[in-house]
Amino acid sequence: MEWEVVIGLEIHTQLATRSKIFSGASTAYGAEPNTQACAVDLGLPGVLPVLNREVVRMAALFGLAIHARVAPRSVFARKNYFYPDLPKGYQISQLDLPIVEAGYLDIDLDEQTTKRIGITRAHLEEDAGKSLHEDFHGQTGIDLNRAGTPLLEIVSEPDMRSAREAVAYMRKIHELVRYLGICDGNMQEGSFRCDANVSIRPQGQQELGTRTELKNINSFRFVERAINFEVERQIDVIEGGGRVIQETRLYDADLDETRPMRSKEEANDYRYFPDPDLLPVEIDAAFIEAVRATMPELPDAKRDRFTQEYGLSRQDAAALTSSRELADFFEQTVAAAGGEGKLAANWIMGELSGLLNKEGRDISASPVTPQQLGGMLQRISDGTISGKIAKQVFEAMYNGEGDADSVIEKKGLKQITDSGAIEQMIRDVLEANPKQVEQYRGGQEKLFGFFVGQVMKATQGKANPAEVNKLLKQLLGG
Ligand code: ADP
Ligand code: MG
C-alpha cells in the first residue's frame, strides 16, 4: 500500500512588543522569576485586562503579508483549563472570530517549483507561565514572567505532504515574521514554536486520516525528525491491523521518538465563551491602510528583484534575502563597490559567511563593514589586486587591520601590471631553468604551469596573471 502523508502546522510566534498583551508588565526575556508579572498577569480578583494596541497592528501587518482577510471585528474568548502556570484558570484567546483569516504562503520545493500552502487563520492569545521542574528537589517552581506575553498562533491548512515541505513552510513563516519585525524568531528562548498535526491516508483517498498532534517542537531539525518518526509509527500501526488514535504526543529529541501525552481534547472541553472583560476588537479601513503603508519589501519580492537587478541565480538571491540584515549588507556592499553584484554575492556567501559561521557570528556582528568590502571589490575590478591576493586583504580587514587601500599599501600587495617588469622577471625564470625550457620547447607543454608558478613565486603572487600568461607564451615560443 502506498501512503500519503498529510501535515498541518500550528505555529506560535511571540510578538515582539515591549509590554504584555493585556498589561503593562515587561516582556523582556531572562529576568529573575516572577519579577515581571503584575496583578493582571497573576489574575488577581478585580483587575481588568486592557488590550495592547501594538499587537493588533502586528497581527494586521502579518495578515496583509499573507494576503489574508484582516477581520474588521474579532473577539477574545476564554479557554478554560486548570494548570499551575495559569493562575486565572483560563487563557484569553480567540476562537470563532480570529483577527486574521484565509491567507496563504508560497514555499519553494526546488529551483523551479513552488507550492501554495493555505493559512486557515491567525489569532491572538496570551502565553501561560512556566513550570520549573529542575530547580527544586521534589517540588515544582512557577515563573509567571511569561504569563500574558502576546502570541500570534498561525494555523495552516493540512496542505503539506512531507516533513520537508513542513520544514520549508516553517522556515518561510520564520523568515517572514522576522522581516515584518513582529517576532524575533528566537527558538531557544521559545519565541517561535510549532505543533505539527500528522496523519496518513492511502494514496488517492480523499478523506483525511486520523491525526496526532506533536507538541511544542522548537527547532527545524526536530520538526523534520518528529514528523518522519510519527509517519513511520502510524504506518506500522495501520499495517499491523490497528487504528491511529487521535491524541497529543510529545517528541523526545534524545530518544528520537514520539510518545503519548494526553488524548485530544475538543473545543467544548474548554468551555470557550467570549471574555466579558474585553470589548470586541474593531478595526477600520483607515487603520488597515495605515498598516499597509508600512509594509516592508517582503522576501519573495526582494529575491525576484535581486535576480533581475544584480543578475544573481534564484538560489543565490534566496540565500542573500534569507534575512533583512543580510540583504541590506549585500545592497550596501554593492553600493560601495559601485556595482559588482555577482562579485559581492560571492564574497559575502563565500569568504565572509565562512568566517562568520566558524565563530558563530551573525551578519550584524561582521567585523568587515559593507563599505570596507565594497572598497576591496573596487580594487579587484580596477586591477589593483588579483582575486587571489584579495583573500589576504580580506582576512586582514576581518582582523581589524583597516580598510582595503591601507592594507594593500601597508603590505605592499599591489598587483604588478607593468609588462616591462613582468617580462624581466620571466626572463630571469627562464634563465634559471634551462632544462625545463628545453623540455617545453621539445613538446612537453604541460610544463607551462611550472613556469607560471615560478613567476608567481618570484612576485609573491602579485603579477597580473593574464599578463604573465601572455608574455610567457611569447617568450617560451622562442
Ligand atoms: P484543533 O482545533 O483541534 O487544534 P484544527 O481543526 O484547528 O484542530 O486543526 C489544527 C491543525 O491540524 C491545522 O493546522 C490543520 O490543518 C491540521 N489538521 C487537521 N486535520 C488534519 C489531519 N487529518 N491530518 C493532518 N493535519 C490535520
Ligand atoms: Mg490547536
Side-chain angles (χ1 to χ4, degrees), residues 106-158:
D106 292 333
I107 59 169
D108 286 330
L109 298 184
D110 55 51
E111 275 271 309
Q112 282 87 37
T113 342
T114 61
K115 174 172 174 175
R116 183 154 292 182
I117 306 296
I119 296 176
T120 319
R121 56 187 278 153
H123 60 261
L124 288 166
E125 61 186 26
E126 60 178 345
D127 208 345
K130 232 189 255 175
S131 298
L132 309 169
H133 299 291
E134 273 138 37
D135 299 6
F136 310 96
H137 182 70
Q139 295 180 321
T140 295
I142 304 288
D143 177 6
L144 291 169
N145 282 351
R146 203 179 62 185
T149 297
L151 301 177
L152 185 67
E153 177 173 341
I154 303 161
V155 183
S156 84
E157 289 291 302

Short mmCIF file of all heavy atoms in Angstrom, two decimals, residues 106-158:
data_model
loop_
_atom_site.label_atom_id
_atom_site.label_comp_id
_atom_site.label_asym_id
_atom_site.label_seq_id
_atom_site.Cartn_x
_atom_site.Cartn_y
_atom_site.Cartn_z
N ASP A 106 3.62 30.92 -0.38
CA ASP A 106 4.21 30.00 -1.37
C ASP A 106 5.56 29.54 -0.87
O ASP A 106 6.41 30.35 -0.50
CB ASP A 106 4.38 30.70 -2.72
CG ASP A 106 3.04 31.02 -3.36
OD1 ASP A 106 2.06 30.29 -3.07
OD2 ASP A 106 2.95 31.99 -4.15
N ILE A 107 5.76 28.22 -0.88
CA ILE A 107 7.07 27.69 -0.49
C ILE A 107 7.79 27.16 -1.73
O ILE A 107 7.15 26.79 -2.71
CB ILE A 107 6.97 26.57 0.57
CG1 ILE A 107 6.14 25.39 0.05
CG2 ILE A 107 6.39 27.10 1.86
CD1 ILE A 107 6.22 24.15 0.92
N ASP A 108 9.13 27.13 -1.68
CA ASP A 108 9.93 26.58 -2.78
C ASP A 108 10.12 25.09 -2.57
O ASP A 108 10.60 24.68 -1.52
CB ASP A 108 11.32 27.24 -2.80
CG ASP A 108 11.25 28.66 -3.32
OD1 ASP A 108 10.36 28.94 -4.15
OD2 ASP A 108 12.07 29.49 -2.88
N LEU A 109 9.77 24.29 -3.57
CA LEU A 109 10.06 22.86 -3.47
C LEU A 109 11.44 22.60 -4.04
O LEU A 109 12.19 21.77 -3.56
CB LEU A 109 9.00 22.04 -4.20
CG LEU A 109 7.58 22.17 -3.64
CD1 LEU A 109 6.64 21.24 -4.38
CD2 LEU A 109 7.55 21.87 -2.15
N ASP A 110 11.78 23.28 -5.14
CA ASP A 110 13.14 23.25 -5.69
C ASP A 110 13.32 24.53 -6.50
O ASP A 110 12.50 25.44 -6.42
CB ASP A 110 13.37 21.99 -6.54
CG ASP A 110 12.32 21.84 -7.62
OD1 ASP A 110 12.11 22.82 -8.37
OD2 ASP A 110 11.71 20.76 -7.73
N GLU A 111 14.40 24.60 -7.30
CA GLU A 111 14.70 25.84 -8.05
C GLU A 111 13.52 26.31 -8.90
O GLU A 111 13.31 27.50 -9.06
CB GLU A 111 15.92 25.63 -8.95
CG GLU A 111 17.25 25.84 -8.25
CD GLU A 111 17.75 27.29 -8.33
OE1 GLU A 111 17.79 27.86 -9.43
OE2 GLU A 111 18.08 27.85 -7.27
N GLN A 112 12.78 25.36 -9.47
CA GLN A 112 11.71 25.74 -10.40
C GLN A 112 10.31 25.78 -9.79
O GLN A 112 9.47 26.55 -10.22
CB GLN A 112 11.66 24.78 -11.61
CG GLN A 112 12.71 25.02 -12.67
CD GLN A 112 14.01 24.26 -12.34
OE1 GLN A 112 13.97 23.15 -11.83
NE2 GLN A 112 15.14 24.88 -12.61
N THR A 113 10.06 24.89 -8.80
CA THR A 113 8.68 24.67 -8.38
C THR A 113 8.35 25.31 -7.04
O THR A 113 9.11 25.19 -6.08
CB THR A 113 8.41 23.14 -8.22
OG1 THR A 113 9.42 22.43 -8.92
CG2 THR A 113 7.04 22.79 -8.72
N THR A 114 7.21 25.98 -7.00
CA THR A 114 6.72 26.48 -5.72
C THR A 114 5.39 25.78 -5.43
O THR A 114 4.77 25.21 -6.33
CB THR A 114 6.47 28.00 -5.74
OG1 THR A 114 5.49 28.29 -6.73
CG2 THR A 114 7.74 28.76 -6.05
N LYS A 115 4.99 25.84 -4.17
CA LYS A 115 3.71 25.24 -3.79
C LYS A 115 3.00 26.19 -2.84
O LYS A 115 3.64 26.76 -1.94
CB LYS A 115 3.95 23.89 -3.11
CG LYS A 115 2.68 23.27 -2.56
CD LYS A 115 2.91 21.87 -2.07
CE LYS A 115 1.62 21.37 -1.41
NZ LYS A 115 1.74 19.97 -1.00
N ARG A 116 1.71 26.37 -3.06
CA ARG A 116 0.95 27.29 -2.21
C ARG A 116 0.40 26.56 -0.99
O ARG A 116 -0.26 25.53 -1.12
CB ARG A 116 -0.19 27.89 -3.03
CG ARG A 116 -1.00 28.91 -2.27
CD ARG A 116 -1.63 29.91 -3.20
NE ARG A 116 -0.61 30.76 -3.83
CZ ARG A 116 -0.90 31.75 -4.67
NH1 ARG A 116 -2.15 32.02 -4.98
NH2 ARG A 116 0.07 32.48 -5.20
N ILE A 117 0.69 27.07 0.19
CA ILE A 117 0.18 26.48 1.43
C ILE A 117 -0.88 27.43 2.01
O ILE A 117 -0.60 28.61 2.24
CB ILE A 117 1.31 26.30 2.48
CG1 ILE A 117 2.49 25.51 1.90
CG2 ILE A 117 0.77 25.66 3.75
CD1 ILE A 117 2.19 24.08 1.52
N GLY A 118 -2.07 26.91 2.21
CA GLY A 118 -3.15 27.73 2.76
C GLY A 118 -2.93 28.02 4.24
O GLY A 118 -2.42 27.17 4.99
N ILE A 119 -3.27 29.22 4.66
CA ILE A 119 -3.22 29.56 6.09
C ILE A 119 -4.66 29.83 6.53
O ILE A 119 -5.28 30.80 6.08
CB ILE A 119 -2.28 30.75 6.36
CG1 ILE A 119 -0.85 30.35 5.96
CG2 ILE A 119 -2.35 31.17 7.83
CD1 ILE A 119 0.17 31.45 6.08
N THR A 120 -5.17 28.94 7.33
CA THR A 120 -6.57 28.99 7.73
C THR A 120 -6.87 30.27 8.51
O THR A 120 -7.83 30.97 8.23
CB THR A 120 -6.91 27.78 8.64
OG1 THR A 120 -6.26 26.62 8.10
CG2 THR A 120 -8.40 27.57 8.73
N ARG A 121 -6.01 30.53 9.48
CA ARG A 121 -6.28 31.65 10.39
C ARG A 121 -5.03 32.00 11.19
O ARG A 121 -4.07 31.22 11.25
CB ARG A 121 -7.37 31.24 11.39
CG ARG A 121 -6.98 29.97 12.16
CD ARG A 121 -8.11 29.47 13.02
NE ARG A 121 -8.17 30.20 14.30
CZ ARG A 121 -9.29 30.36 15.00
NH1 ARG A 121 -10.43 29.90 14.55
NH2 ARG A 121 -9.26 31.01 16.15
N ALA A 122 -5.04 33.17 11.77
CA ALA A 122 -4.02 33.52 12.77
C ALA A 122 -4.76 34.27 13.86
O ALA A 122 -5.52 35.20 13.56
CB ALA A 122 -2.92 34.37 12.17
N HIS A 123 -4.60 33.83 15.09
CA HIS A 123 -5.34 34.50 16.17
C HIS A 123 -4.41 34.93 17.30
O HIS A 123 -3.33 34.38 17.49
CB HIS A 123 -6.48 33.62 16.68
CG HIS A 123 -6.03 32.30 17.22
ND1 HIS A 123 -6.09 31.14 16.50
CD2 HIS A 123 -5.52 31.98 18.44
CE1 HIS A 123 -5.62 30.15 17.23
NE2 HIS A 123 -5.26 30.63 18.41
N LEU A 124 -4.87 35.94 18.01
CA LEU A 124 -4.10 36.48 19.13
C LEU A 124 -4.44 35.73 20.40
O LEU A 124 -5.59 35.34 20.62
CB LEU A 124 -4.44 37.97 19.31
CG LEU A 124 -3.88 38.91 18.24
CD1 LEU A 124 -4.56 40.27 18.32
CD2 LEU A 124 -2.37 39.03 18.40
N GLU A 125 -3.46 35.54 21.24
CA GLU A 125 -3.71 34.95 22.56
C GLU A 125 -2.58 35.31 23.50
O GLU A 125 -1.56 35.85 23.10
CB GLU A 125 -3.91 33.43 22.46
CG GLU A 125 -2.71 32.68 21.92
CD GLU A 125 -3.00 31.19 21.71
OE1 GLU A 125 -4.18 30.81 21.50
OE2 GLU A 125 -2.04 30.40 21.74
N GLU A 126 -2.79 35.00 24.78
CA GLU A 126 -1.75 35.25 25.77
C GLU A 126 -1.02 33.95 26.06
O GLU A 126 -1.61 32.87 26.00
CB GLU A 126 -2.36 35.81 27.06
CG GLU A 126 -3.37 34.87 27.71
CD GLU A 126 -3.93 35.41 29.02
OE1 GLU A 126 -3.34 36.35 29.57
OE2 GLU A 126 -4.95 34.89 29.48
N ASP A 127 0.26 34.04 26.39
CA ASP A 127 1.03 32.86 26.77
C ASP A 127 0.77 32.56 28.25
O ASP A 127 0.29 33.43 29.00
CB ASP A 127 2.53 33.12 26.54
CG ASP A 127 3.30 31.83 26.24
OD1 ASP A 127 2.75 30.74 26.49
OD2 ASP A 127 4.44 31.94 25.75
N ALA A 128 1.06 31.33 28.66
CA ALA A 128 0.95 30.96 30.08
C ALA A 128 2.31 31.16 30.75
O ALA A 128 3.28 31.54 30.10
CB ALA A 128 0.51 29.51 30.18
N GLY A 129 2.39 30.89 32.04
CA GLY A 129 3.67 30.94 32.75
C GLY A 129 4.48 29.68 32.47
O GLY A 129 4.16 28.92 31.56
N LYS A 130 5.53 29.49 33.24
CA LYS A 130 6.42 28.36 33.01
C LYS A 130 6.57 27.56 34.31
O LYS A 130 6.74 28.15 35.36
CB LYS A 130 7.80 28.90 32.62
CG LYS A 130 8.35 28.30 31.34
CD LYS A 130 9.80 28.73 31.18
CE LYS A 130 9.92 29.80 30.12
NZ LYS A 130 11.26 30.35 29.97
N SER A 131 6.50 26.25 34.19
CA SER A 131 6.77 25.41 35.36
C SER A 131 8.23 25.01 35.35
O SER A 131 8.74 24.57 34.33
CB SER A 131 5.91 24.14 35.31
OG SER A 131 4.54 24.49 35.35
N LEU A 132 8.90 25.17 36.48
CA LEU A 132 10.33 24.83 36.56
C LEU A 132 10.46 23.57 37.38
O LEU A 132 10.28 23.57 38.60
CB LEU A 132 11.10 25.98 37.22
CG LEU A 132 10.85 27.37 36.61
CD1 LEU A 132 11.45 28.45 37.51
CD2 LEU A 132 11.42 27.44 35.21
N HIS A 133 10.77 22.46 36.68
CA HIS A 133 10.78 21.17 37.37
C HIS A 133 12.15 20.82 37.93
O HIS A 133 12.27 19.92 38.74
CB HIS A 133 10.33 20.07 36.41
CG HIS A 133 8.94 20.29 35.90
ND1 HIS A 133 7.83 20.19 36.70
CD2 HIS A 133 8.49 20.63 34.67
CE1 HIS A 133 6.75 20.44 35.99
NE2 HIS A 133 7.11 20.72 34.75
N GLU A 134 13.18 21.50 37.48
CA GLU A 134 14.51 21.04 37.83
C GLU A 134 15.14 21.77 39.01
O GLU A 134 16.07 21.28 39.63
CB GLU A 134 15.44 21.16 36.62
CG GLU A 134 15.37 19.92 35.74
CD GLU A 134 15.34 20.25 34.27
OE1 GLU A 134 16.05 21.20 33.88
OE2 GLU A 134 14.60 19.58 33.52
N ASP A 135 14.63 22.96 39.32
CA ASP A 135 15.34 23.80 40.28
C ASP A 135 15.13 23.44 41.74
O ASP A 135 15.94 23.77 42.60
CB ASP A 135 14.97 25.28 40.08
CG ASP A 135 15.34 25.74 38.68
OD1 ASP A 135 15.78 24.89 37.89
OD2 ASP A 135 15.20 26.93 38.39
N PHE A 136 14.00 22.77 42.04
CA PHE A 136 13.69 22.50 43.45
C PHE A 136 13.43 21.01 43.62
O PHE A 136 12.58 20.45 42.95
CB PHE A 136 12.45 23.28 43.89
CG PHE A 136 12.53 24.74 43.53
CD1 PHE A 136 11.94 25.21 42.35
CD2 PHE A 136 13.20 25.64 44.34
CE1 PHE A 136 12.02 26.54 42.01
CE2 PHE A 136 13.28 26.97 44.00
CZ PHE A 136 12.70 27.43 42.82
N HIS A 137 14.15 20.39 44.54
CA HIS A 137 14.02 18.95 44.71
C HIS A 137 12.62 18.57 45.19
O HIS A 137 12.16 19.07 46.21
CB HIS A 137 15.08 18.44 45.70
CG HIS A 137 15.01 16.96 45.87
ND1 HIS A 137 15.38 16.09 44.86
CD2 HIS A 137 14.57 16.19 46.89
CE1 HIS A 137 15.19 14.86 45.27
NE2 HIS A 137 14.70 14.89 46.51
N GLY A 138 11.97 17.70 44.42
CA GLY A 138 10.65 17.21 44.84
C GLY A 138 9.55 18.25 44.74
O GLY A 138 8.43 18.02 45.20
N GLN A 139 9.84 19.39 44.16
CA GLN A 139 8.83 20.43 44.05
C GLN A 139 8.89 21.05 42.66
O GLN A 139 9.87 20.88 41.95
CB GLN A 139 9.09 21.55 45.08
CG GLN A 139 8.96 21.10 46.52
CD GLN A 139 9.23 22.25 47.47
OE1 GLN A 139 10.12 23.05 47.24
NE2 GLN A 139 8.48 22.31 48.54
N THR A 140 7.84 21.78 42.30
CA THR A 140 7.84 22.48 41.03
C THR A 140 7.74 23.98 41.29
O THR A 140 6.91 24.40 42.09
CB THR A 140 6.64 22.02 40.17
OG1 THR A 140 6.83 20.64 39.84
CG2 THR A 140 6.55 22.82 38.88
N GLY A 141 8.60 24.74 40.65
CA GLY A 141 8.52 26.18 40.78
C GLY A 141 7.66 26.76 39.67
O GLY A 141 7.57 26.17 38.59
N ILE A 142 7.02 27.87 39.92
CA ILE A 142 6.22 28.52 38.88
C ILE A 142 6.78 29.91 38.63
O ILE A 142 6.89 30.71 39.55
CB ILE A 142 4.74 28.66 39.32
CG1 ILE A 142 4.13 27.30 39.69
CG2 ILE A 142 3.94 29.35 38.22
CD1 ILE A 142 3.88 26.39 38.53
N ASP A 143 7.13 30.18 37.39
CA ASP A 143 7.60 31.51 36.98
C ASP A 143 6.53 32.13 36.09
O ASP A 143 6.26 31.62 35.00
CB ASP A 143 8.93 31.37 36.23
CG ASP A 143 9.44 32.71 35.71
OD1 ASP A 143 8.82 33.76 36.04
OD2 ASP A 143 10.45 32.71 34.97
N LEU A 144 5.95 33.21 36.55
CA LEU A 144 4.85 33.82 35.79
C LEU A 144 5.30 35.00 34.92
O LEU A 144 4.47 35.76 34.43
CB LEU A 144 3.72 34.21 36.73
CG LEU A 144 3.01 32.98 37.33
CD1 LEU A 144 2.07 33.37 38.46
CD2 LEU A 144 2.26 32.20 36.26
N ASN A 145 6.61 35.16 34.74
CA ASN A 145 7.07 36.25 33.88
C ASN A 145 6.50 36.14 32.46
O ASN A 145 6.21 37.14 31.83
CB ASN A 145 8.60 36.24 33.76
CG ASN A 145 9.26 36.83 34.99
OD1 ASN A 145 8.58 37.38 35.85
ND2 ASN A 145 10.58 36.70 35.07
N ARG A 146 6.38 34.91 31.96
CA ARG A 146 5.91 34.75 30.58
C ARG A 146 4.39 34.89 30.47
O ARG A 146 3.85 35.06 29.36
CB ARG A 146 6.37 33.38 30.05
CG ARG A 146 6.44 33.31 28.54
CD ARG A 146 6.91 31.96 28.06
NE ARG A 146 5.99 30.90 28.45
CZ ARG A 146 6.21 29.60 28.24
NH1 ARG A 146 7.31 29.20 27.64
NH2 ARG A 146 5.32 28.70 28.62
N ALA A 147 3.68 34.77 31.60
CA ALA A 147 2.22 34.86 31.56
C ALA A 147 1.80 36.20 30.97
O ALA A 147 2.27 37.25 31.39
CB ALA A 147 1.65 34.71 32.97
N GLY A 148 0.93 36.15 29.98
CA GLY A 148 0.45 37.38 29.36
C GLY A 148 1.30 37.89 28.22
O GLY A 148 1.01 38.94 27.64
N THR A 149 2.35 37.17 27.86
CA THR A 149 3.15 37.55 26.69
C THR A 149 2.29 37.34 25.44
O THR A 149 1.62 36.32 25.32
CB THR A 149 4.42 36.67 26.62
OG1 THR A 149 5.19 36.93 27.78
CG2 THR A 149 5.23 36.98 25.38
N PRO A 150 2.29 38.30 24.51
CA PRO A 150 1.42 38.16 23.34
C PRO A 150 1.90 37.10 22.35
O PRO A 150 3.09 37.05 22.03
CB PRO A 150 1.45 39.54 22.68
CG PRO A 150 2.69 40.18 23.16
CD PRO A 150 2.99 39.59 24.52
N LEU A 151 0.98 36.27 21.89
CA LEU A 151 1.29 35.27 20.87
C LEU A 151 0.36 35.46 19.68
O LEU A 151 -0.80 35.83 19.83
CB LEU A 151 1.05 33.85 21.41
CG LEU A 151 1.82 33.39 22.64
CD1 LEU A 151 1.37 31.98 23.03
CD2 LEU A 151 3.33 33.40 22.35
N LEU A 152 0.90 35.20 18.51
CA LEU A 152 0.07 35.08 17.32
C LEU A 152 0.18 33.62 16.91
O LEU A 152 1.27 33.14 16.58
CB LEU A 152 0.58 36.00 16.21
CG LEU A 152 -0.28 36.06 14.94
CD1 LEU A 152 -1.63 36.72 15.22
CD2 LEU A 152 0.44 36.81 13.82
N GLU A 153 -0.95 32.89 16.98
CA GLU A 153 -0.93 31.48 16.57
C GLU A 153 -1.37 31.38 15.12
O GLU A 153 -2.47 31.80 14.75
CB GLU A 153 -1.84 30.62 17.46
CG GLU A 153 -1.86 29.18 16.97
CD GLU A 153 -2.61 28.20 17.87
OE1 GLU A 153 -2.83 28.50 19.05
OE2 GLU A 153 -2.96 27.12 17.37
N ILE A 154 -0.48 30.83 14.30
CA ILE A 154 -0.71 30.77 12.85
C ILE A 154 -1.05 29.33 12.47
O ILE A 154 -0.23 28.43 12.66
CB ILE A 154 0.56 31.23 12.10
CG1 ILE A 154 0.95 32.65 12.56
CG2 ILE A 154 0.35 31.18 10.60
CD1 ILE A 154 2.40 33.02 12.26
N VAL A 155 -2.26 29.12 11.99
CA VAL A 155 -2.75 27.76 11.73
C VAL A 155 -2.82 27.50 10.23
O VAL A 155 -3.53 28.20 9.51
CB VAL A 155 -4.15 27.56 12.36
CG1 VAL A 155 -4.63 26.12 12.15
CG2 VAL A 155 -4.14 27.92 13.83
N SER A 156 -2.12 26.48 9.77
CA SER A 156 -2.12 26.21 8.32
C SER A 156 -3.23 25.23 7.96
O SER A 156 -3.75 24.50 8.81
CB SER A 156 -0.78 25.60 7.89
OG SER A 156 -0.79 24.20 8.11
N GLU A 157 -3.58 25.19 6.69
CA GLU A 157 -4.41 24.11 6.16
C GLU A 157 -3.56 22.84 6.16
O GLU A 157 -2.33 22.91 6.17
CB GLU A 157 -4.81 24.45 4.72
CG GLU A 157 -5.82 25.59 4.60
CD GLU A 157 -7.18 25.19 5.12
OE1 GLU A 157 -7.75 24.21 4.60
OE2 GLU A 157 -7.68 25.85 6.06
N PRO A 158 -4.22 21.67 6.10
CA PRO A 158 -3.43 20.42 6.05
C PRO A 158 -2.90 20.20 4.64
O PRO A 158 -3.23 19.24 3.97
CB PRO A 158 -4.47 19.34 6.44
CG PRO A 158 -5.79 19.93 6.13
CD PRO A 158 -5.66 21.42 6.24
#
